[in-house]
């Protein structure tokens, strides 16, 4: 058993497919490498879907636990990144749903989230900043659809399933979101 | 956009065109100034979205400490797979797990230069003592290693390790190279002329 100490080095540049196969066979180190590779993206994505960084980290944690449990039955190992992002998306939507029912129960008004502060807007005159604040002003339903599509890379069908709405509604919301975002960004220039 | 002449194409149509690069309406879209302007808007929206996501990722990428705790918890839970009976010294119902055997195969392969084991499957009635078992291994190999030699080395190593460490009646070890990777610049055990 020579050179097993090189394993982390070997795993570091292993493609997702090999890591997903090993993780599916119970190799924790392979799963960890996979998780570290994609966690920053999963976290950024989650933060765009929920209301606080703490909530986002909980979502990523839940998503990784689910992924570790289910990766053995993942058929298309080449699509493991998309699969991880899909789990994050679904978890984030569930979190919103739970929060909403809790808020309704507590009879609290639904607040607009991700309000862009004046400092946010004043940071720089980039299109990125413009998009950031335009996103913050989007109605939550439209923003979610847009984030699931653009950041999560999810299909209309997957978004429809996650949100419990029809594919037609997804297309409609996405179109309204895009129209508004394009308009606001053009006004910015 | 010119409100006096609306061509009537929806943002859905244009989004589809942008996503797929094709549309039954491409004739019109390609030559319509209004559609082109809106397509340009959608394109710069996509570009800004990519930038924003990159920035979001970069903003949190530095701190990896948050992940350590999460991953530490995962270590507690591993899947064992099927049970394999062992002939113990007078003790009944000794078993080892399929997961442990697969982990053993992985470690044998990982110890060889140039290969990284992917999926490993034990085929056969492993729950029945001395039933024939075939091992199937997916392997990622580095460029520059001669594949037939690698396959033979791996087969031999897996055979002998399973013979020593388990009571499985291994009748075949199948090696499939499912992935090729460029060599490390600093790979310590160079194979000389075998490397490119």
């Amino acid at each position: 058993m020579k050179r097993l100490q090189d394993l982390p080095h070997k795993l570091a540049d292993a493609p997702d497919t090999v890591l997903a196969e090993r993780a599916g066979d119970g190799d924790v180190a392979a799963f960890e490498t996979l998780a570290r590779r994609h966690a920053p993206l999963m976290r950024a994505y989650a933060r765009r879907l929920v209301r606080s960084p703490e909530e986002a980290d909980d979502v990523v944690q839940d998503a990784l636990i689910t992924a570790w449990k289910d990766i053995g039955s993942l058929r298309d190992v080449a699509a493991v990144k998309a699969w991880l992002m899909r789990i994050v998306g679904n978890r984030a939507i569930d979190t919103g749903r739970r929060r909403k029912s809790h808020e309704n129960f507590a009879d609290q008004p639904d607040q607009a989230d991700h309000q862009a502060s004046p400092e946010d807007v004043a940071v720089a005159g980039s299109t990125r900043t413009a998009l950031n604040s335009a996103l913050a002003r989007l109605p939550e339903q439209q923003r979610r659809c847009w984030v699931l599509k653009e950041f999560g890379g999810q299909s209309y069908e997957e978004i429809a399933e996650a949100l419990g709405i029809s594919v037609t509604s997804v297309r409609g919301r996405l179109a309204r979101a895009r129209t508004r975002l394009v308009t606001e960004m053009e006004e910015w220039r | 956009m010119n409100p006096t002449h609306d061509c009537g194409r929806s943002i859905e149509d244009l989004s589809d065109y942008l996503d797929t690069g094709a549309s039954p309406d491409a004739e019109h879209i390609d030559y319509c100034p209004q559609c082109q302007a809106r397509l340009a808007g959608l394109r710069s929206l996509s570009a800004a979205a990519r930038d924003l996501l990159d920035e979001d990722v970069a903003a949190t990428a530095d701190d990896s400490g948050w992940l350590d705790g999460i991953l530490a918890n995962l270590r507690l839970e591993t899947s064992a797979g099927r049970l394999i009976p062992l002939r113990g010294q007078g003790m009944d119902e000794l078993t080892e797990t399929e997961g442990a055997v697969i982990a053993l195969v992985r470690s044998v392969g990982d110890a060889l230069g140039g290969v990284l084991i992917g999926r490993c499957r034990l085929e056969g009635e492993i729950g029945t003592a001395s039933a024939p078992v075939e091992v199937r291994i997916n392997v990622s190999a580095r460029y520059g290693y001669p594949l037939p030699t690698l396959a033979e080395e791996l087969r031999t190593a897996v055979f002998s390790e399973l013979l020593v460490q388990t009571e499985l009646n291994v009748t075949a070890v199948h090696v499939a190279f499912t992935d090729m990777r460029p060599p490390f610049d600093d790979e310590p055990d160079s194979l000389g002329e075998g490397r490119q």
Side-chain angles (χ1 to χ4, degrees), chain B residues 170-185:
Chain B
V170 179
T171 52
V173 176
H174 304 282
V175 173
F177 291 100
T178 52
D179 176 72
M180 296 295 295
R181 294 183 293 157
F184 280 131
D185 293 335

Side-chain angles (χ1 to χ4, degrees), chain B residues 28 36 44 68 86 93 100 104 130 150-151 154 160 175 193 196:
Chain B
H28 164 87
Q36 285 301 309
S44 64
D68 296 340
L86 294 173
E93 300 192 21
L104 184 66
S130 62
L150 268 190
L154 180 59
S160 60
V175 173
E193 68 272 25
Q196 284 171 347

Side-chain angles (χ1 to χ4, degrees), chain B residues 7-143:
Chain B
C7 72
R9 265 64 177 185
S10 70
I11 202 92
E12 280 106 322
D13 298 335
L14 294 174
S15 296
D16 287 349
Y17 182 53
L18 207 58
D19 288 346
T20 62
S23 163
D25 206 19
E27 272 295 274
H28 164 87
I29 295 172
D30 285 346
Y31 295 101
C32 169
Q34 186 184 353
C35 285
Q36 285 301 309
R38 294 165 88 188
L39 273 179
L42 286 172
R43 278 199 195 95
S44 64
L45 175 60
S46 292
R50 276 193 299 276
D51 286 353
L52 185 61
L53 185 58
D54 286 348
E55 191 187 60
D56 283 356
V57 170
T60 68
D62 290 343
D63 114 68
S64 64
W66 67 283
L67 199 53
D68 296 340
I70 296 177
L71 294 177
N73 287 336
L74 292 184
R75 285 192 167 275
L76 303 174
E77 222 186 298
T78 38
S79 60
R82 295 177 283 178
L83 289 178
I84 302 168
L86 294 173
R87 288 185 300 269
Q89 282 93 7
M91 289 173 70
D92 285 340
E93 300 192 21
L94 263 181
T95 58
E96 63 186 338
T97 67
E98 184 176 21
V101 173
I102 288 172
L104 184 66
V105 171
R106 265 202 310 272
S107 70
V108 169
D110 292 344
L112 295 176
V115 302
L116 185 62
I117 306 296
R119 176 166 292 148
C120 173
R121 287 287 167 270
L122 305 181
E123 293 180 350
E125 296 300 322
I126 59 169
T128 309
S130 62
V133 171
E134 299 196 1
V135 183
R136 284 189 186 278
I137 313 171
N138 287 351
V139 175
S140 165
R142 293 221 180 269
Y143 290 125

Side-chain angles (χ1 to χ4, degrees), chain A residues 99-166:
Chain A
R99 188 204 314 115
K100 195 148 279 172
S101 68
H102 185 258
E103 278 170 0
N104 286 347
F105 180 70
D107 205 18
Q108 286 169 358
D110 191 18
Q111 306 155 331
D113 40 344
H114 283 301
Q115 277 299 352
S117 66
E119 301 87 72
D120 281 344
V121 180
V123 171
S126 66
T127 48
R128 219 171 42 216
T129 317
L131 175 58
N132 195 29
S133 53
L135 262 180
R137 286 191 296 274
L138 221 52
E140 174 162 344
Q141 289 188 330
Q142 290 179 26
R143 181 165 46 78
R144 284 214 163 145
C145 270
W146 187 86
V147 170
L148 289 167
K149 180 83 179 76
E150 294 295 323
F151 287 178
Q154 301 193 27
S155 69
Y156 290 159
E157 288 75 17
E158 286 164 355
I159 298 172
E161 203 185 315
L163 295 176
I165 59 177
S166 69

